[in-house]
Structures are given as C-alpha cells and as structure tokens.
Amino acid sequence: KAGVTQTPRYLIKTRGQQVTLSCSPISGHRSVSWYQQTPGQGLQFLFEYFSETQRNKGNFPGRFSGRQFSNSRSEMNVSTLELGDSALYLCASSLRGTQGHEQFFGPGTRLTVL
Amino acid sequence: KNEVEQSPQNLTAQEGEFITINCSYSVGISALHWLQQHPGGGIVSLFMLSSGKKKHGRLIATINIQEKHSSLHITASHPRDSAVYICAVKPYGGSQGNLIFGKGTKLSVKP
C-alpha cells in the first residue's frame, strides 16, 4: 500500500504570492490533517478534513485554507504569503478520523518565502 | 506554560544505553502519540496510547493518565535511533487530527 504523498516537496515563493500544497492519503483513509512545523513554534495543527468537510481548525489566520475532494485528496492554500509562513507543512491521514485510529504522516512540503 | 512539556530537550547517549524521554501534559486527553522525526522531516508514528503500556521491538511507551505523564523508553540504543522524538496529545472532545505537540527531544546515539 502506498504511503501518504505530498507535492511538491520543496517550494520557493515570494511575499504576497499564494501557494497550494497537495496531499494524497493512504488508499481507504478518509481523514486528512494538516500541520505546520517551524523552528520557533514546533508542530502546530492547521486543520482536519473528513469526507470533504472541515472538522476542526487550528489557530491560524484566514489566509490559510483547505479543502478535501471526493477521493479524499486534500489541498491547502496560503494566500498573501508572509516571511513567517516559511515552514515544513505536513499532512497526515487516518482511517476514519475517530478515536483509536493511528495517523500516518507524509514527507512534508518545505516552503520558503523570500 | 506549554500544554505539553518534554524532557530532556537534548539527549546524547552511547550505543547500548537505556534511554528515557518524558512527556507531561496539562489538559485532559483521550490519546497520546509518540512520534519520531528524522533529519529531512519525515515523521513516523511510534505509538498511540490511551492507557497502560505498549511495546514494539526495543521501544516501550507508558502512560499514567492520573499523573498526566508518559515515558518513551529505548532499550539497547543504536545510532539509527538518532532522531527527534515528539510527544503529542489529543485533547478530550477534539477530532483525531487535532493534536497538541511537545517541542521534541533530540536524541543522538554515539557508536
């Protein structure tokens, strides 16, 4: 079974631009969560999608948004990029997104904002 | 004060040593995860616990819900165990992905 995949793996953007990151979960997994990792703040929860619906959102500004498609693939979008958005963005999938289900992480997308 | 605290922040060990990493949390939780992150960023889920103890190979994870504390033990450590180990908790009422993370413990095992 293929693992969680994320594209692109590396991205360089400039301030003010927008970016879209993609996550394909493990086949059969319906829950996808997104996380931001920075040296200063560590890992922080962005949002979670289950069956195309956002179930939870972390404490991030509205510039961060996401969606999930009917095949469970998910995208996250960051508009009007700021220098502080430079981070490793990780997604994770789980079977149903309910208690007791392990999360499987993708390799991440490293975003650099210049 | 962070809701999830790990200690130590950095740990250097000699190959073969027994290693313990601690995690304390201040919120009510329904599950606790131990994660391993290697240089380059990839994260592997080691354990998900809600009570008691789990063992996988040389790794053992324990949790004491009443004391709000968990430990990750590595027996007979090896240089390939060098990584950052992250504790994450799922608060009561939160969905599966809504995790609060510790800052991580950077482990270096010398041959």
Side-chain angles (χ1 to χ4, degrees):
Chain A
K1 216 179 211 184
V4 179
T5 58
Q6 291 188 244
T7 57
R9 293 292 310 279
Y10 302 91
L11 206 46
I12 299 175
K13 292 284 188 179
T14 55
R15 278 181 299 175
Q17 288 188 307
Q18 76 160 21
V19 67
T20 299
L21 312 181
S22 180
C23 172
S24 292
I26 290 171
S27 177
H29 285 195
R30 293 168 63 190
S31 172
V32 174
S33 299
W34 287 90
Y35 305 94
Q36 181 197 64
Q37 186 177 35
T38 59
Q41 298 297 319
L43 274 160
Q44 293 181 282
F45 169 71
L46 276 159
F47 26 64
E48 178 182 356
Y49 287 88
F50 179 74
S51 292
E52 302 177 66
T53 301
Q54 187 181 87
R55 283 165 36 131
N56 241 312
K57 191 177 195 301
N59 189 23
F60 280 82
R63 299 185 297 107
F64 291 81
S65 63
R67 58 178 175 168
Q68 187 180 33
F69 301 96
S70 58
N71 62 357
S72 294
R73 189 176 72 84
S74 177
E75 288 181 348
M76 68 162 279
N77 185 78
V78 188
S79 62
T80 322
L81 283 165
E82 301 176 359
L83 294 177
D85 297 332
S86 293
L88 180 67
Y89 290 88
L90 292 149
C91 80
S93 74
S94 63
L95 195 57
R96 285 206 301 271
T98 56
Q99 287 189 37
H101 286 276
E102 185 182 357
Q103 292 218 82
F104 295 84
F105 286 80
T109 294
R110 190 165 294 281
L111 171 66
T112 302
V113 181
L114 302 175
Chain B
K1 188 181 186 296
N2 293 328
E3 291 168 298
V4 180
E5 298 273 3
Q6 285 185 240
S7 63
Q9 283 187 305
N10 294 282
L11 184 54
T12 300
Q14 287 298 126
E15 184 173 356
E17 284 185 0
F18 180 85
I19 287 161
T20 296
I21 298 170
N22 295 299
C23 175
S24 296
Y25 52 91
S26 57
V27 297
I29 68 167
S30 54
L32 181 143
H33 298 254
W34 280 103
L35 309 170
Q36 180 193 57
Q37 185 171 32
H38 281 282
I43 290 181
V44 173
S45 176
L46 298 174
F47 294 103
M48 186 175 64
L49 294 161
S50 55
S51 65
K53 177 179 175 177
K54 285 190 177 180
K55 184 176 189 292
H56 186 250
R58 294 180 296 107
L59 301 178
I60 303 165
T62 64
I63 188 168
N64 186 319
I65 295 290
Q66 286 72 30
E67 293 187 5
K68 292 188 164 63
H69 182 268
S70 175
S71 294
L72 175 68
H73 306 286
I74 304 175
T75 62
S77 60
H78 190 276
R80 65 174 174 266
D81 297 325
S82 298
V84 176
Y85 292 83
I86 301 168
C87 170
V89 302
K90 187 177 101 57
Y92 277 132
S95 56
Q96 187 71 7
N98 189 358
L99 301 176
I100 305 172
F101 297 87
K103 296 292 188 191
T105 294
K106 186 174 182 181
L107 172 64
S108 177
V109 182
K110 307 291 186 190

PDB file of all heavy atoms in Angstrom, chain B residues 66-82:
ATOM      1  N   GLN B  66      -3.669   9.456  35.369  1.00  0.00           N
ATOM      2  CA  GLN B  66      -3.928  10.233  36.587  1.00  0.00           C
ATOM      3  C   GLN B  66      -2.846  11.293  36.814  1.00  0.00           C
ATOM      4  O   GLN B  66      -3.125  12.414  37.214  1.00  0.00           O
ATOM      5  CB  GLN B  66      -3.990   9.312  37.821  1.00  0.00           C
ATOM      6  CG  GLN B  66      -5.252   8.471  37.916  1.00  0.00           C
ATOM      7  CD  GLN B  66      -5.282   7.351  36.898  1.00  0.00           C
ATOM      8  OE1 GLN B  66      -4.241   6.824  36.501  1.00  0.00           O
ATOM      9  NE2 GLN B  66      -6.477   6.989  36.462  1.00  0.00           N
ATOM     10  N   GLU B  67      -1.594  10.917  36.532  1.00  0.00           N
ATOM     11  CA  GLU B  67      -0.483  11.852  36.732  1.00  0.00           C
ATOM     12  C   GLU B  67      -0.216  12.695  35.495  1.00  0.00           C
ATOM     13  O   GLU B  67       0.681  13.553  35.512  1.00  0.00           O
ATOM     14  CB  GLU B  67       0.776  11.071  37.128  1.00  0.00           C
ATOM     15  CG  GLU B  67       0.670  10.400  38.488  1.00  0.00           C
ATOM     16  CD  GLU B  67       1.972   9.774  38.938  1.00  0.00           C
ATOM     17  OE1 GLU B  67       3.000   9.937  38.236  1.00  0.00           O
ATOM     18  OE2 GLU B  67       1.959   9.110  39.986  1.00  0.00           O
ATOM     19  N   LYS B  68      -0.928  12.453  34.412  1.00  0.00           N
ATOM     20  CA  LYS B  68      -0.751  13.212  33.168  1.00  0.00           C
ATOM     21  C   LYS B  68       0.715  13.147  32.722  1.00  0.00           C
ATOM     22  O   LYS B  68       1.368  14.166  32.465  1.00  0.00           O
ATOM     23  CB  LYS B  68      -1.203  14.665  33.316  1.00  0.00           C
ATOM     24  CG  LYS B  68      -2.712  14.834  33.497  1.00  0.00           C
ATOM     25  CD  LYS B  68      -3.106  16.323  33.445  1.00  0.00           C
ATOM     26  CE  LYS B  68      -4.574  16.547  33.236  1.00  0.00           C
ATOM     27  NZ  LYS B  68      -5.435  16.030  34.300  1.00  0.00           N
ATOM     28  N   HIS B  69       1.211  11.946  32.586  1.00  0.00           N
ATOM     29  CA  HIS B  69       2.617  11.738  32.265  1.00  0.00           C
ATOM     30  C   HIS B  69       2.799  10.479  31.422  1.00  0.00           C
ATOM     31  O   HIS B  69       2.125   9.471  31.623  1.00  0.00           O
ATOM     32  CB  HIS B  69       3.421  11.593  33.571  1.00  0.00           C
ATOM     33  CG  HIS B  69       4.887  11.426  33.351  1.00  0.00           C
ATOM     34  ND1 HIS B  69       5.482  10.194  33.235  1.00  0.00           N
ATOM     35  CD2 HIS B  69       5.871  12.343  33.198  1.00  0.00           C
ATOM     36  CE1 HIS B  69       6.787  10.356  33.022  1.00  0.00           C
ATOM     37  NE2 HIS B  69       7.035  11.645  33.000  1.00  0.00           N
ATOM     38  N   SER B  70       3.713  10.591  30.473  1.00  0.00           N
ATOM     39  CA  SER B  70       4.056   9.443  29.632  1.00  0.00           C
ATOM     40  C   SER B  70       5.563   9.377  29.476  1.00  0.00           C
ATOM     41  O   SER B  70       6.258  10.401  29.541  1.00  0.00           O
ATOM     42  CB  SER B  70       3.403   9.575  28.259  1.00  0.00           C
ATOM     43  OG  SER B  70       3.803   8.528  27.383  1.00  0.00           O
ATOM     44  N   SER B  71       6.075   8.186  29.287  1.00  0.00           N
ATOM     45  CA  SER B  71       7.503   7.992  29.034  1.00  0.00           C
ATOM     46  C   SER B  71       7.702   7.112  27.812  1.00  0.00           C
ATOM     47  O   SER B  71       6.911   6.193  27.566  1.00  0.00           O
ATOM     48  CB  SER B  71       8.204   7.342  30.224  1.00  0.00           C
ATOM     49  OG  SER B  71       8.219   8.183  31.346  1.00  0.00           O
ATOM     50  N   LEU B  72       8.766   7.419  27.085  1.00  0.00           N
ATOM     51  CA  LEU B  72       9.195   6.574  25.974  1.00  0.00           C
ATOM     52  C   LEU B  72      10.572   6.039  26.344  1.00  0.00           C
ATOM     53  O   LEU B  72      11.469   6.806  26.682  1.00  0.00           O
ATOM     54  CB  LEU B  72       9.283   7.377  24.677  1.00  0.00           C
ATOM     55  CG  LEU B  72       9.830   6.631  23.456  1.00  0.00           C
ATOM     56  CD1 LEU B  72       8.844   5.555  23.007  1.00  0.00           C
ATOM     57  CD2 LEU B  72      10.100   7.593  22.299  1.00  0.00           C
ATOM     58  N   HIS B  73      10.707   4.728  26.334  1.00  0.00           N
ATOM     59  CA  HIS B  73      11.977   4.088  26.644  1.00  0.00           C
ATOM     60  C   HIS B  73      12.534   3.415  25.405  1.00  0.00           C
ATOM     61  O   HIS B  73      11.783   2.810  24.622  1.00  0.00           O
ATOM     62  CB  HIS B  73      11.792   3.021  27.738  1.00  0.00           C
ATOM     63  CG  HIS B  73      11.130   3.524  28.983  1.00  0.00           C
ATOM     64  ND1 HIS B  73      11.771   4.324  29.891  1.00  0.00           N
ATOM     65  CD2 HIS B  73       9.861   3.324  29.458  1.00  0.00           C
ATOM     66  CE1 HIS B  73      10.941   4.599  30.884  1.00  0.00           C
ATOM     67  NE2 HIS B  73       9.784   4.015  30.640  1.00  0.00           N
ATOM     68  N   ILE B  74      13.846   3.516  25.252  1.00  0.00           N
ATOM     69  CA  ILE B  74      14.539   2.792  24.184  1.00  0.00           C
ATOM     70  C   ILE B  74      15.591   1.916  24.853  1.00  0.00           C
ATOM     71  O   ILE B  74      16.473   2.424  25.567  1.00  0.00           O
ATOM     72  CB  ILE B  74      15.225   3.745  23.185  1.00  0.00           C
ATOM     73  CG1 ILE B  74      14.211   4.738  22.607  1.00  0.00           C
ATOM     74  CG2 ILE B  74      15.886   2.942  22.057  1.00  0.00           C
ATOM     75  CD1 ILE B  74      14.822   5.802  21.700  1.00  0.00           C
ATOM     76  N   THR B  75      15.468   0.626  24.667  1.00  0.00           N
ATOM     77  CA  THR B  75      16.461  -0.289  25.231  1.00  0.00           C
ATOM     78  C   THR B  75      17.539  -0.559  24.192  1.00  0.00           C
ATOM     79  O   THR B  75      17.285  -0.519  22.989  1.00  0.00           O
ATOM     80  CB  THR B  75      15.810  -1.613  25.652  1.00  0.00           C
ATOM     81  OG1 THR B  75      15.262  -2.248  24.487  1.00  0.00           O
ATOM     82  CG2 THR B  75      14.688  -1.395  26.650  1.00  0.00           C
ATOM     83  N   ALA B  76      18.764  -0.808  24.676  1.00  0.00           N
ATOM     84  CA  ALA B  76      19.888  -1.120  23.790  1.00  0.00           C
ATOM     85  C   ALA B  76      19.947  -0.148  22.613  1.00  0.00           C
ATOM     86  O   ALA B  76      19.865  -0.543  21.441  1.00  0.00           O
ATOM     87  CB  ALA B  76      19.780  -2.565  23.293  1.00  0.00           C
ATOM     88  N   SER B  77      20.090   1.128  22.926  1.00  0.00           N
ATOM     89  CA  SER B  77      20.041   2.172  21.893  1.00  0.00           C
ATOM     90  C   SER B  77      21.111   1.952  20.824  1.00  0.00           C
ATOM     91  O   SER B  77      22.180   1.381  21.064  1.00  0.00           O
ATOM     92  CB  SER B  77      20.198   3.553  22.525  1.00  0.00           C
ATOM     93  OG  SER B  77      21.445   3.627  23.210  1.00  0.00           O
ATOM     94  N   HIS B  78      20.793   2.457  19.631  1.00  0.00           N
ATOM     95  CA  HIS B  78      21.647   2.276  18.464  1.00  0.00           C
ATOM     96  C   HIS B  78      21.731   3.606  17.731  1.00  0.00           C
ATOM     97  O   HIS B  78      20.788   4.404  17.795  1.00  0.00           O
ATOM     98  CB  HIS B  78      21.010   1.204  17.554  1.00  0.00           C
ATOM     99  CG  HIS B  78      21.890   0.749  16.442  1.00  0.00           C
ATOM    100  ND1 HIS B  78      21.978   1.433  15.240  1.00  0.00           N
ATOM    101  CD2 HIS B  78      22.731  -0.310  16.354  1.00  0.00           C
ATOM    102  CE1 HIS B  78      22.822   0.811  14.450  1.00  0.00           C
ATOM    103  NE2 HIS B  78      23.299  -0.237  15.107  1.00  0.00           N
ATOM    104  N   PRO B  79      22.856   3.867  17.038  1.00  0.00           N
ATOM    105  CA  PRO B  79      22.950   5.143  16.297  1.00  0.00           C
ATOM    106  C   PRO B  79      21.773   5.409  15.370  1.00  0.00           C
ATOM    107  O   PRO B  79      21.403   6.572  15.162  1.00  0.00           O
ATOM    108  CB  PRO B  79      24.265   4.993  15.519  1.00  0.00           C
ATOM    109  CG  PRO B  79      25.114   4.145  16.406  1.00  0.00           C
ATOM    110  CD  PRO B  79      24.149   3.155  17.027  1.00  0.00           C
ATOM    111  N   ARG B  80      21.137   4.383  14.842  1.00  0.00           N
ATOM    112  CA  ARG B  80      19.995   4.622  13.953  1.00  0.00           C
ATOM    113  C   ARG B  80      18.772   5.142  14.713  1.00  0.00           C
ATOM    114  O   ARG B  80      17.796   5.586  14.104  1.00  0.00           O
ATOM    115  CB  ARG B  80      19.619   3.367  13.179  1.00  0.00           C
ATOM    116  CG  ARG B  80      19.120   2.221  14.023  1.00  0.00           C
ATOM    117  CD  ARG B  80      18.632   1.068  13.165  1.00  0.00           C
ATOM    118  NE  ARG B  80      18.284  -0.092  13.990  1.00  0.00           N
ATOM    119  CZ  ARG B  80      19.131  -1.080  14.241  1.00  0.00           C
ATOM    120  NH1 ARG B  80      20.358  -1.079  13.727  1.00  0.00           N
ATOM    121  NH2 ARG B  80      18.762  -2.106  14.996  1.00  0.00           N
ATOM    122  N   ASP B  81      18.816   5.104  16.053  1.00  0.00           N
ATOM    123  CA  ASP B  81      17.734   5.685  16.847  1.00  0.00           C
ATOM    124  C   ASP B  81      17.847   7.207  16.934  1.00  0.00           C
ATOM    125  O   ASP B  81      16.952   7.876  17.461  1.00  0.00           O
ATOM    126  CB  ASP B  81      17.741   5.120  18.276  1.00  0.00           C
ATOM    127  CG  ASP B  81      17.484   3.624  18.311  1.00  0.00           C
ATOM    128  OD1 ASP B  81      16.701   3.129  17.467  1.00  0.00           O
ATOM    129  OD2 ASP B  81      18.073   2.939  19.179  1.00  0.00           O
ATOM    130  N   SER B  82      18.955   7.759  16.448  1.00  0.00           N
ATOM    131  CA  SER B  82      19.153   9.213  16.488  1.00  0.00           C
ATOM    132  C   SER B  82      18.069   9.900  15.668  1.00  0.00           C
ATOM    133  O   SER B  82      17.916   9.636  14.475  1.00  0.00           O
ATOM    134  CB  SER B  82      20.544   9.578  15.943  1.00  0.00           C
ATOM    135  OG  SER B  82      21.558   8.999  16.733  1.00  0.00           O
TER     136      SER B  82
END
